[in-house]
Amino acid sequence: MSMPPQRSSELMRGLCGMAPVIPVLVVEDVRTARILAEVLVRGGLRVLEVTLRTPAALESIRAMIDVENAYVGAGTLLTSNDVRNAKLAGAKFGVSPGATDELLNACEEYGLPLLPGAATASEAMQLLSRGYNMLKFFPAEASGGVSVLKSLAEPLPQIQFCPTGGVNPRNVVRYLALSNVSCVGGSWVAQREMIGNACWGDIEALAAEAAKLSQAI
């Protein structure tokens, strides 16, 4: 089932509006996947990005998609094969660090809503011209962070961003306060070591704190 870019962005705006933080997850052992999703949802974060950086990633998505109230997506999509595998695993959406025609065509062909990455005004404009207006700003801090996003807001008011990369508890409120930021992506909520050490109570507490961030704006 194909999906036009406008519909893709509409769905991604809905997902990005569900919570102020999308956890960026690196899962190395599929046996931890389901409980990780349950803990994050219990803490108030329902939209989860599992990065395709480990051999366990696709099986982890399969293990997480049936968790009640969880919307599980695949991150670090780079190729059309990544898109196909993510869709077959049951991912509800995809996230990419950038955007290529191959990747965009594949997501549109397979009907996978995409949060494509952009770091400059030109990249954002190219995606907007194709119909994408909900974008990942990556790498956020290395690309100029809050000041760059502020600068993009006036000439590109149609675009909303999800900054990811270097976003942490010390700067997250500054990002969320921007008019063109719907949410942020962050790994601090469930770091790889915390998942590996089964620190479920700590992860749930961090998720609960992150879920309340919108109240601080």
Side-chain angles (χ1 to χ4, degrees), residues 7 24-25 36 43 50 70 75 79 104 134 137 139 150 168 213:
R7 178 57 176 160
V24 179
L25 308 171
L36 173 61
V50 178
T79 67
L104 297 173
M134 182 70 231
F137 181 62
K150 278 184 180 178
N168 57 56
L213 281 170

Side-chain angles (χ1 to χ4, degrees), residues 170-183:
R170 295 182 299 279
N171 59 25
V172 63
V173 172
R174 296 202 301 275
Y175 278 103
L176 291 173
L178 298 176
S179 63
N180 58 345
V181 168
S182 294
C183 66

Side-chain angles (χ1 to χ4, degrees), residues 49 95-97 115-119 134-138 160-164:
E49 176 191 341
V95 183
S96 64
L115 186 67
M134 182 70 231
L135 310 180
K136 172 179 176 176
F137 181 62
F138 178 83
Q160 284 287 301
F161 292 94
C162 171
T164 307

Side-chain angles (χ1 to χ4, degrees), residues 22-172:
I22 296 178
V24 179
L25 308 171
V26 180
V27 184
E28 298 185 89
D29 186 343
V30 68
R31 292 173 296 182
T32 67
R34 184 176 180 87
I35 188 171
L36 173 61
E38 291 172 343
V39 163
L40 289 167
V41 169
R42 212 159 48 229
L45 302 182
R46 300 166 57 194
V47 183
L48 316 176
E49 176 191 341
V50 178
T51 63
L52 302 188
R53 300 179 194 171
T54 71
L58 291 170
E59 283 301 318
S60 295
I61 291 172
R62 290 188 181 95
M64 298 166 83
I65 56 175
D66 291 331
V67 172
E68 188 175 2
N69 295 322
Y71 293 85
V72 185
T76 325
L77 298 182
L78 304 178
T79 67
S80 57
N81 195 49
D82 289 340
V83 175
R84 178 180 178 276
N85 289 337
K87 185 71 175 181
L88 290 174
K92 296 293 189 288
F93 64 94
V95 183
S96 64
T100 64
D101 286 336
E102 176 194 353
L103 185 69
L104 297 173
N105 289 340
C107 285
E108 291 163 17
E109 176 186 349
Y110 284 103
L112 185 70
L114 178 67
L115 186 67
T120 67
S122 292
E123 292 170 357
M125 289 168 62
Q126 287 173 348
L127 286 163
L128 182 62
S129 70
R130 183 154 175 162
Y132 292 92
N133 60 28
M134 182 70 231
L135 310 180
K136 172 179 176 176
F137 181 62
F138 178 83
E141 280 291 283
S143 299
V146 169
S147 61
V148 169
L149 284 166
K150 278 184 180 178
S151 299
L152 293 174
E154 190 167 343
L156 297 171
Q158 313 95 318
I159 299 177
Q160 284 287 301
F161 292 94
C162 171
T164 307
V167 181
N168 57 56
R170 295 182 299 279
N171 59 25
V172 63

